[in-house]
Amino acid sequence: MIRIANGQGFWGDWLEAPVRLVDQGPIDFLVLDYLAEVTMSILQKQKQDDPALGYARDFPPLIGRLARKLKDRNIKVVANAGGVNPTACAYAVLHAAPGLKVAVVHGDDVFHRIDEFLGKGYEMRDMETGQAIAAIRKQILSANAYIGAFPLAEALDTGADVVIAGRSTDTALTLAPMVHKFKWKADDWDRLAAGTIAGHIIECGAQCSGGNCQVDWERIPDMADIGYPIIEAEPDGAFTVTKHANAGGRVHSDTVKEQLLYELGDPTRYMTPDCIADFTTIQLADVDPNRVRVTGIRGGPRPPTLKLSISYAHGWKAIGTLVYSWPQAVAKARAADRIVRERLAALGLEFEEIYTELFGLNACHGPAAPPNPDPPEIQLRIGVRGQDRKAVDRFTRELIPLVLNGPPGATGFGEGRPAVREIVAYWSALIPREEIATRVEVVS
Amino acid sequence: MKRPLGAIAHTRSGDKGDTSNIGVIALKPEYYAAIVREVTPERVKEFFGGLVQGDVERFELPNLGAVNLLLHEALGGGGTLSLRIDAQGKTYGAALLRMEVEVD
């Protein structure tokens, strides 16, 4: 049995979580998932400004902080902290923790291969809209293929203490230690599906161990010291989801089910570079407090394609707010919204979209919200999006004047004008897997 | 007897592009049949009104006592394009807890 813990569900997750996972009990592998869909584009921009950047900068100091304990207790780290510059990330780790052996997985970054792919006739149509990528070719900021568990396992096979990848899948981080330790084969679909589902359960950190859980949430113990999840994996593919006994939070079939359903599509076809997992085969059992045993998982052959994660520039947006107080807060906010739209139209400004929400009335749930006829205050929230930066910038000047020249009772403008933000949008497409070759490099 | 869905189920929701997914999970195994019968794609689309522009798809996971709902064109363009406060549909699952269902 091996213990695989996830200490980071995204870049920006709780900094203390990985430290507590190491300090509060036994683990064999610490996995850290830093990459969300648009993180790669942010990192690409950082690398353009400074060729030594482009990776998750939280990672090297964390490894520096943990280095001695990792070495003493033989805990291996697997992280997709490399972003668009895994080599620079590896050197930063070596600088922070000189005694550790670091391996890097290369090959996911295809930013400079888009034209080569187009030349080969790959249209890279967006998986959501079906549009061919030629439409946004000039706006592309980053392009990466999702890498599966086998290159990461190969990196662990070198004896590395820290494995750094770029755009590996979230689930591969957890599956890789199982492939490495149990020598699972590339066509062992049921076991690979089990490890993939274990990865899905822990990839969002504490979201499977009591965080964001609806069931009995007021009585989930000690959320301030919430325990991040641990998988106790067995060679046959069965595993147990748990947490350190002295940490807070809760691991129960309720918390695990909520995470299993999170960001799920067709449950019988959960596609990864490693296999297709079938969520309708999962059997859960609450065997002990804070221990959920997972068995029965079946899987099928890996798809012939890999998914590309592409980010591209798509114009500008700004979102501004004003607060209207009782009485008639809703009517006043609606009147202010009409005035802003009238003034923007009078200026001849055009936007792709102007979207208004009344915060405190129905911003989250729209028509599904419960009635709230006379709220004590309402936040008017107006957003605009468009390709013309000047128009978006002009919009940001149209809210504050309403405090003096619009309906009565406006406040909440202390933050000043809203910021104009560049939109980095996301494009996903498929590419034949033979196009992507990975390579493991030990850095010292 | 009419009850809010929250009396028999818990939910979690998230996003994939402009699609929101809501997992609806029975609080007890015996409630699963009522969820399958009552939480239909048609009723869910009607419940969310203009918030969901596209179709609603549903997948059943009897092994977990759960159904997975996909609400297409439901996030104002999704991801960074969306101008909504809940651009990722994080609260859509909670909204659905208010839907009235017939419970045996």
Side-chain angles (χ1 to χ4, degrees), chain A residues 149-186:
Chain A
F150 281 83
L152 304 179
E154 186 189 333
L156 284 168
D157 291 342
T158 67
D161 300 300
V162 178
V163 170
I164 296 171
R167 182 63 280 190
S168 70
T169 62
D170 306 347
T171 54
L173 301 172
T174 298
L175 175 56
M178 303 182 204
V179 171
H180 159 71
K181 199 77 183 179
F182 303 142
K183 308 290 176 214
W184 288 348
K185 300 283 181 279

Side-chain angles (χ1 to χ4, degrees), chain A residues 268-282:
Chain A
T268 64
R269 295 181 60 75
Y270 183 90
M271 310 246 263
T272 76
D274 303 305
C275 64
I276 298 178
D278 183 351
F279 279 48
T280 65
T281 60
I282 300 168

Side-chain angles (χ1 to χ4, degrees), chain A residues 11 31 57-58 71 99 102 122 202 224 226 269 303 316 323 342 353 360 437:
Chain A
W11 189 9
V31 305
R57 274 176 289 169
D58 289 347
K71 200 75 190 167
V102 178
Y122 304 135
I202 67 170
I226 194 162
R269 295 181 60 75
W316 307 87
V323 171
E342 219 172 286
E353 188 181 10

Side-chain angles (χ1 to χ4, degrees), chain A residues 42 56 89 104 118 147 208 229-230 292 324 382 396:
Chain A
I42 297 165
C89 182
V104 177
L118 284 168
I147 301 293
C208 73
I230 299 167
V292 176
Y324 284 89
I382 306 178
T396 68

Side-chain angles (χ1 to χ4, degrees), chain A residues 6 21 201-202 204-213 220-223 225-230 241-244 247-252 254-259 290, chain B residues 12:
Chain A
N6 181 20
L21 275 171
I201 291 171
I202 67 170
C204 294
Q207 209 179 211
C208 73
S209 54
N212 191 25
C213 178
I220 289 176
D222 197 6
M223 263 199 215
D225 181 30
I226 194 162
Y228 274 52
I230 299 167
V241 191
T242 187
K243 65 177 187 69
H244 287 318
R250 174 183 293 154
V251 176
H252 183 270
D254 293 332
T255 68
V256 172
K257 281 180 196 170
E258 284 196 14
Q259 179 58 22
N290 294 307
Chain B
R12 177 169 291 177

Side-chain angles (χ1 to χ4, degrees), chain A residues 113-127 129-137 140 308 310 427-432 435:
Chain A
R113 296 183 63 195
I114 295 293
D115 290 325
E116 175 200 333
F117 291 161
L118 284 168
K120 287 179 175 172
Y122 304 135
E123 292 182 304
M124 292 173 277
R125 290 183 178 276
D126 185 66
M127 289 168 72
T129 66
Q131 204 182 4
I133 204 168
I136 57 140
R137 172 68 192 96
I140 293 176
L308 296 179
I310 296 164
W427 185 282
S428 56
L430 297 174
I431 196 90
E435 290 292 346

Side-chain angles (χ1 to χ4, degrees), chain B residues 20-50:
Chain B
S20 173
N21 102 292
I22 306 178
V24 181
I25 307 154
L27 283 166
K28 293 182 181 171
E30 57 265 36
Y31 298 151
Y32 177 64
I35 290 170
V36 172
R37 187 184 67 233
E38 298 287 321
V39 187
T40 61
E42 298 74 24
R43 287 204 57 208
V44 170
K45 183 164 166 66
E46 186 191 347
F47 179 78
F48 280 103

